[in-house]
Amino acid sequence: MKRIISLILVFCMIFSSVTIAESLSTEEKRREIVSREGETIVSIVEKFSDMKDHWSTQWVEKLLEKDVISGYPDGTFKPDKAINRAEFTKLLVVALHDDSEVFEGGHWAKNYIEKAIQEGYILEGEFKDVDKNITRAEMARMIARAMEEEPENWKAYKNNIADYTNIKVEYREYVLQVYAAGIVKGLPNGRFAPEKTASRAEASTMLVKLIEPDERDIPEIMEEPVSEEDFIEPQLELKNNDILENYIIHSIVVKNHEDYIGVEEDYQFKIENITYPKLNQRQFPNKEIKDRRFWRSGKGLNHPTVIPKGSIYDLPAFFYTTVEHEKNFHLKEGMKMKYKVTVKKGDIEKEYFVEGKLKFIMDYYKDYPQYKE
């Protein structure tokens, strides 16, 4: 009799455990991750405080299992942070090969870069600045070179990519190959955005799909090109101005600004100085520092106070990031400036690049000779 009662109690305990486990929500289920070295790691949500509800959790978790990635000392992963060329090269090499020791006496990623060159993922001298943020096109090229197979009918996928003609010719075949293989998808609006910097989350997703073919989602070939309908393409121009009272010498102008009058959905513009990143911030006399990389409404292109008409950005002659910076840096006649202009309408977001030289008004030299070269 005691034996029967004991069996009943054991059965009840097992049944109760199963019932409780099944009733736990996804968030409450903490799956343990075992690394290649056998170390038991807590759930990724517990390990990285900023990964809860992030779209890339499942992909980052897979790389964590394989000891390919790690987080920051503060317990975060920073999934939306841009990843640079050296960092992505390390992840790619570690994902496909044994980890390399950090090079001592030079750049920390030297061994990874040399391995990538040896394997053909990058070419000698291809990345002059390995600390520069990597673009989606550059990442696609490295992944395509690392692929063991060539996808079927990859050339036929160009209709699937809305901004295919905006991809530089040198990257097109690589983009099509990784897209056809189901490794890299386009953005929700159908664009690939080749010049857009890639995030740590995007890099993690692509690497998982590279090393685990079962995780890939092969797209269907579209017979007709994807359309970004009703998007007004800006006609951008860099102008040098003579509005002396405001000390404006350099403007980015939307020449077809009248096309944006009365549109139902507002367009947003954001400008970033690529040549001199410090000029993206300005410290005012009251010590307040403001970042100039903010979205500007397209509805303001034709406002009466906008001079010149259609201007979305102005660079004054007296521009500084900090007081200390002002002592060491002056805008000079003939300086080359390159800007990235991002235009957004709803879910559609496009990037454009405009560049030119500074040309000063001669009257500036009379009162401010320090600006003359």
Side-chain angles (χ1 to χ4, degrees):
M1 183 67 178
K2 289 182 179 179
R3 177 168 179 155
I4 294 174
I5 293 174
S6 298
L7 289 173
I8 293 173
L9 289 173
V10 170
F11 175 77
C12 290
M13 290 174 66
I14 294 174
F15 181 78
S16 298
S17 299
V18 172
T19 304
I20 292 172
E22 288 179 346
S23 67
L24 292 176
S25 66
T26 303
E27 181 180 340
E28 292 170 331
K29 291 178 182 177
R30 301 303 191 194
R31 182 170 66 83
E32 289 185 337
I33 302 170
V34 180
S35 68
R36 286 188 302 213
E37 282 73 24
E39 176 193 4
T40 301
I41 307 172
V42 296
S43 164
I44 189 173
V45 177
E46 293 177 346
K47 182 173 178 61
F48 300 133
S49 60
D50 56 348
M51 287 303 295
K52 181 181 178 181
D53 299 326
H54 196 275
W55 65 265
S56 68
T57 297
Q58 62 171 317
W59 309 110
V60 175
E61 186 174 71
K62 286 180 179 293
L63 289 189
L64 186 63
E65 289 176 337
K66 299 176 183 296
D67 291 334
V68 175
I69 53 95
S70 59
Y72 290 87
D74 63 355
T76 63
F77 181 73
K78 295 180 174 48
D80 298 316
K81 184 177 183 290
I83 187 170
N84 66 35
R85 293 164 169 173
E87 292 167 336
F88 181 72
T89 300
K90 176 188 175 181
L91 293 184
L92 180 62
V93 169
V94 173
L96 298 175
H97 309 277
D98 292 332
D99 199 351
S100 301
E101 294 183 1
V102 174
F103 181 76
E104 296 183 3
H107 195 284
W108 67 267
K110 186 174 186 294
N111 289 345
Y112 299 106
I113 294 168
E114 288 183 348
K115 179 66 173 177
I117 292 174
Q118 178 185 336
E119 296 292 334
Y121 307 150
I122 55 178
L123 303 182
E124 187 79 46
E126 198 164 52
F127 288 156
K128 294 180 181 179
D129 181 2
V130 294
D131 293 315
K132 184 177 180 181
N133 289 339
I134 195 168
T135 66
R136 286 167 55 83
E138 290 170 341
M139 199 156 56
R141 180 172 62 186
M142 292 178 66
I143 291 175
R145 289 170 175 171
M147 289 167 53
E148 295 182 352
E149 75 289 349
E150 184 174 301
E152 295 183 5
N153 302 321
W154 60 267
K155 293 182 180 179
Y157 280 90
K158 62 182 181 180
N159 283 344
N160 291 47
I161 302 175
D163 57 347
Y164 175 76
T165 56
N166 291 336
I167 301 173
K168 292 180 180 178
V169 175
E170 62 189 284
Y171 293 110
R172 287 182 181 177
E173 66 176 76
Y174 301 114
V175 170
L176 288 178
Q177 287 174 11
V178 296
Y179 185 93
I183 295 176
V184 180
K185 283 187 175 182
L187 301 180
N189 51 33
R191 298 176 60 249
F192 184 81
E195 299 296 328
K196 184 177 182 292
T197 54
S199 68
R200 287 165 57 82
E202 290 175 319
S204 299
T205 304
M206 296 177 195
L207 286 175
V208 170
K209 292 184 178 183
L210 171 65
I211 60 180
E212 296 190 6
D214 291 343
E215 295 291 346
R216 301 177 189 178
D217 184 14
I218 309 299
E220 295 183 2
I221 298 175
M222 295 186 178
E223 297 182 1
E224 298 293 332
V226 174
S227 173
E228 295 178 314
E229 52 184 305
D230 301 327
F231 190 92
I232 302 175
E233 297 284 346
Q235 298 172 19
L236 300 171
E237 179 184 14
L238 194 143
K239 296 185 68 174
N240 292 284
N241 307 301
D242 58 356
I243 310 171
L244 300 181
E245 64 271 22
N246 291 324
Y247 304 111
I248 295 174
I249 59 165
H250 205 61
S251 294
I252 296 177
V253 174
V254 181
K255 293 197 296 182
N256 59 329
H257 54 87
E258 293 185 353
D259 293 344
Y260 296 88
I261 297 177
V263 293
E264 183 175 343
E265 187 171 3
D266 189 25
Y267 285 73
Q268 301 288 317
F269 295 80
K270 184 166 64 175
I271 295 85
E272 179 178 1
N273 191 309
I274 303 297
T275 311
Y276 296 100
K278 285 187 175 182
L279 295 181
N280 292 316
Q281 289 188 323
R282 184 178 185 184
Q283 180 179 346
F284 291 86
N286 64 357
K287 305 300 183 182
E288 182 183 8
I289 296 178
K290 291 186 177 181
D291 196 312
R292 306 191 82 206
R293 292 166 295 186
F294 57 86
W295 291 105
R296 297 162 167 84
S297 172
K299 293 180 178 178
L301 289 172
N302 301 281
H303 194 274
T305 61
V306 174
I307 302 174
K309 187 66 70 176
S311 176
I312 53 175
Y313 177 92
D314 295 312
L315 181 65
F318 304 102
F319 198 97
Y320 51 89
T321 54
T322 65
V323 174
E324 188 62 31
H325 185 227
E326 170 69 3
K327 296 177 182 177
N328 303 311
F329 178 85
H330 289 293
L331 297 174
K332 300 289 185 181
E333 175 87 18
M335 265 187 175
K336 289 184 178 180
M337 292 285 184
K338 183 176 181 180
Y339 299 91
K340 179 173 75 173
V341 181
T342 307
V343 184
K344 180 171 66 174
K345 175 197 174 188
D347 293 333
I348 300 177
E349 190 173 310
K350 294 188 178 185
E351 293 178 350
Y352 306 84
F353 294 86
V354 58
E355 56 187 303
K357 294 181 179 181
L358 293 181
K359 183 176 180 180
F360 280 25
I361 307 305
M362 292 303 294
D363 289 349
Y364 282 154
Y365 300 143
K366 179 180 178 180
D367 297 325
Y368 308 100
Q370 71 268 32
Y371 290 139
K372 186 173 182 179
E373 286 187 336

